[in-house]
């Protein structure tokens, strides 16, 4: 895309967003709401305090979606947390069970004259407390330029140019594979996403799930269905779990925090997700790291976006076992400078000039490792259909065998060919045809 075209698209974007207003998608299965002040403020003077659960509270069945059951233990545990907060001069704001870790997570506000370090040191001396930590902030890694609605965008998708996804769909479409999109709100009524979401839950506040830019774009890349005049998702027959843990700011940026992300990841683990997409980045976080350990132990593939501006430790891309994904350069090559300090080299996938879905039945061009990660999550759904119950380590081996780990980009055709005999998906774009 040349510079003039990019500037025109940016202008169109500004006009379209001003005219469009705030679209909202209906929340199909609302989660127990959090307190809005916890989700949307900066987390200043807030701590997450993890209290140990009695062993009998944990119910491993999939119907337990991360909400409290109507048992007498809930009120007793809440009273215990209130007493702890009062004892230390804290205000109890919100709570959520994390049964996969054997804890209840409480959000507490400490006085402005205290320091987080001092309060954490005091709280962790209490035998009821598993640990305490600050509420960290996380950001989506992407930006968007709006494109005119109604264009047949498959021919300009990098997933068509580099991965030939229409040809891959002869062999696998990700049928019925549950992919958890832990992100901002998804527009479930978008033509490319209508009927694609099994769940569209809001873990940020008490309202219905709003249609927001980042989550809608990520969802479209993963699972946009064919034949709607827009794009073709990498795994168009995957089943999406839209888990709103992030929110859109007035400047269109995307933010999340430790508490909202933890609730959504906990839900994904308990409700059968085979892939968890985390197109975001922030500091290492003990609670979130523990949840990712639990997901990986259950064989769930976790995909995280690499922040190209952060060479140090980060969540989730720095977590061992997570498939960390960075963007290819615009000419399709890998960027060797990205992720060199990581214990495992990142995977590279399309992340520049990507057409995808946008709220209000529109389409947009996006850039960033958020969208490269979405490509890989779709790829995992394709692989899981062909070879169910593949471990996260095996998934990485399928995507890039050991001899090619430093080669950079994923070769999607070669990956599928390892599982399907006589797979042929290497036709040039001019011969591959439009989306089926």
């Amino acid at each position: 895309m040349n510079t003039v075209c990019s500037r025109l698209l940016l202008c169109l974007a500004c006009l379209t967003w001003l005219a469009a207003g705030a679209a909202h998608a209906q929340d199909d299965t609302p989660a127990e709401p959090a307190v809005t002040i916890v989700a949307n403020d900066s987390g200043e003077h807030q701590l997450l305090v993890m209290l140990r659960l009695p062993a009998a509270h944990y119910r491993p069945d999939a119907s337990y979606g991360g909400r409290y059951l109507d048992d007498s233990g809930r009120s007793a545990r809440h009273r215990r947390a209130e007493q702890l907060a009062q004892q230390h001069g804290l205000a109890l704001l919100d709570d959520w069970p994390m049964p996969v870790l054997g804890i209840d997570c409480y959000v507490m506000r400490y006085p402005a004259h205290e320091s987080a370090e001092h309060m954490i040191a005091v709280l962790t001396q209490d035998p009821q407390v598993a640990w305490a930590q600050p509420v960290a902030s996380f950001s989506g890694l992407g930006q968007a330029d709006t494109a005119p609605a109604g264009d047949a965008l498959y021919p300009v998708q990098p997933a068509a140019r580099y991965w030939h996804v229409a040809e891959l769909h002869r062999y696998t479409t990700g049928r019925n594979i549950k992919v958890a999109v832990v992100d901002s709100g998804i527009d479930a009524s978008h033509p490319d996403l209508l009927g694609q979401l099994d769940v569209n839950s809001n873990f940020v506040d008490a309202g219905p799930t709003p249609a927001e830019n980042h989550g809608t774009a990520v969802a479209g890349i993963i699972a946009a269905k064919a034949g709607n005049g827009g794009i073709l998702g990498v795994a168009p027959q995957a089943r999406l779990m839209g888990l709103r843990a992030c929110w859109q700011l007035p400047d269109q940026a995307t933010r999340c925090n430790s508490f909202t992300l933890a609730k959504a990841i906990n839900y994904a683990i308990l409700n059968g997700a085979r892939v968890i997409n985390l197109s975001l980045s922030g500091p290492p976080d003990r609670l979130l790291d523990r949840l990712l350990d639990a997901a990986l132990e259950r064989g769930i593939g976790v995909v995280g976006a690499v922040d190209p501006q952060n060479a140090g430790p980060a969540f989730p891309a720095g977590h061992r076992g997570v498939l960390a994904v960075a963007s290819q350069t615009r000419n399709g090559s890998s960027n060797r400078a990205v992720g060199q300090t990581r214990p495992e080299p990142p995977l590279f996938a399309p992340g520049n000039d990507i057409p995808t879905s946008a709220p209000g039945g529109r389409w947009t061009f996006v850039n960033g490792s958020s969208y490269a990660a979405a490509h890989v999550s779709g790829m995992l759904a394709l692989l899981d259909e062909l070879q169910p119950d593949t471990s996260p380590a095996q998934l990485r081996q399928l995507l890039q065998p050991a001899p090619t780990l430093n080669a950079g980009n994923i070769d999607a055709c070669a990956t599928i060919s390892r599982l399907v005999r006589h797979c042929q998906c290497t036709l040039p774009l001019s011969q591959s045809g439009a989306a089926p």
Side-chain angles (χ1 to χ4, degrees):
M1 183 179 299
N2 60 37
T3 303
V4 173
C5 187
S6 297
R7 289 176 177 171
L8 287 172
L9 288 172
L10 282 169
C11 293
L12 282 170
C14 296
L15 293 171
T16 306
W17 290 121
L18 287 170
H24 288 77
Q26 183 64 37
D27 188 350
D28 297 327
T29 55
E32 185 173 331
V35 177
T36 304
I37 189 172
V38 173
N40 292 333
D41 69 13
S42 65
E44 187 177 7
H45 305 305
Q46 291 179 15
L47 296 176
L48 297 182
V49 182
M50 269 55 73
L51 300 187
R52 295 182 175 89
L53 282 175
H57 178 72
Y58 174 46
R59 311 296 205 281
D61 58 289
S63 65
Y64 181 64
R67 303 174 179 85
Y68 283 114
L69 301 178
D70 293 328
D71 58 8
S72 59
R74 176 189 177 180
S75 58
R77 291 193 307 278
H78 198 84
R79 285 195 300 271
R80 179 180 63 158
E82 288 177 331
Q83 291 168 1
L84 179 73
Q86 186 176 14
Q87 177 185 345
H88 296 290
L90 306 171
L92 179 57
L93 301 179
D94 206 346
D95 59 314
W96 199 265
M98 302 288 171
V100 297
L101 302 182
I103 60 170
D104 274 339
C105 178
Y106 294 88
V107 185
M108 299 185 184
R109 188 186 298 278
Y110 59 89
H113 66 270
E114 289 282 6
S115 70
E117 293 77 10
H118 176 255
M119 293 307 307
I120 289 171
V122 170
L123 287 166
T124 51
Q125 292 176 9
D126 191 306
Q128 303 175 92
V129 178
W131 78 87
Q133 65 177 68
V135 178
S137 179
F138 301 81
S139 302
L141 300 175
Q143 55 186 334
D145 301 331
T146 298
D151 290 3
L153 295 172
Y154 176 72
V156 299
Q157 286 182 240
R161 186 161 62 253
Y162 302 125
W163 285 14
H164 303 278
V165 291
E167 289 90 314
L168 298 184
H169 294 162
R170 300 171 188 167
Y171 311 100
T172 173
T173 57
R175 181 184 297 273
N176 294 329
I177 303 302
K178 290 186 178 182
V179 180
V181 182
V182 178
D183 213 295
S184 61
I186 297 171
D187 184 355
S189 65
H190 191 284
D192 276 346
L193 295 170
L194 190 63
Q196 299 296 81
L197 278 76
D198 282 352
V199 174
N200 199 19
S201 291
N202 188 350
F203 293 91
V204 173
D205 54 43
T209 301
E212 294 173 306
N213 298 346
H214 196 269
T216 302
V218 167
I221 291 167
I222 296 171
K225 60 186 181 181
N228 290 285
I231 66 166
L232 176 63
V234 177
Q237 293 190 338
R239 306 308 304 156
L240 294 181
M241 301 169 68
L243 307 181
R244 185 185 183 236
C246 309
W247 55 93
Q248 185 170 298
L249 299 178
D251 65 358
Q252 312 300 320
T254 300
R255 294 290 183 270
C256 333
N257 69 33
S258 305
F259 186 55
T260 56
L261 288 171
K263 290 188 291 182
I265 295 170
N266 177 73
Y267 182 96
I269 295 170
L270 289 171
N271 287 274
R274 292 296 304 147
V275 181
I276 297 175
N277 185 86
L278 295 167
S279 289
L280 51 94
S281 185
D285 185 282
R286 183 175 178 181
L287 175 59
L288 300 181
D289 284 333
R290 288 281 301 275
L291 285 165
L292 290 197
D293 285 338
L296 293 166
E297 287 168 4
R298 287 161 173 77
I300 300 171
V302 181
V303 181
V306 171
D307 183 353
Q309 307 302 319
N310 183 7
F315 175 91
H319 189 98
R320 186 170 294 278
V322 169
L323 297 177
V325 185
S327 297
Q328 294 172 345
T329 63
R330 278 186 164 79
N331 65 8
S333 65
S334 61
N335 183 351
R336 299 298 179 84
V338 174
Q340 288 185 343
T341 61
R342 285 178 39 79
E344 296 176 316
L347 303 170
F348 287 88
N352 292 297
D353 301 329
I354 310 296
T356 188
S357 47
R362 298 174 297 110
W363 285 266
T364 188
F365 283 93
V366 295
N367 299 278
S369 57
S370 279
Y371 311 111
H375 279 82
V376 174
S377 290
M379 191 69 191
L380 295 196
L382 299 184
L383 296 176
D384 201 83
E385 181 190 350
L386 291 174
Q387 190 164 305
D389 302 320
T390 305
S391 72
Q394 291 169 327
L395 287 170
R396 184 179 179 89
Q397 180 69 16
L398 283 169
L399 289 168
Q400 285 194 328
T404 64
L405 277 178
N406 294 320
N409 300 335
I410 294 169
D411 185 335
C413 291
T415 298
I416 298 301
S417 296
R418 295 183 191 109
L419 300 179
V420 179
R421 295 185 64 185
H422 310 301
C423 173
Q424 296 181 348
C425 57
T426 56
L427 293 173
L429 180 61
S430 60
Q431 300 177 33
S432 66

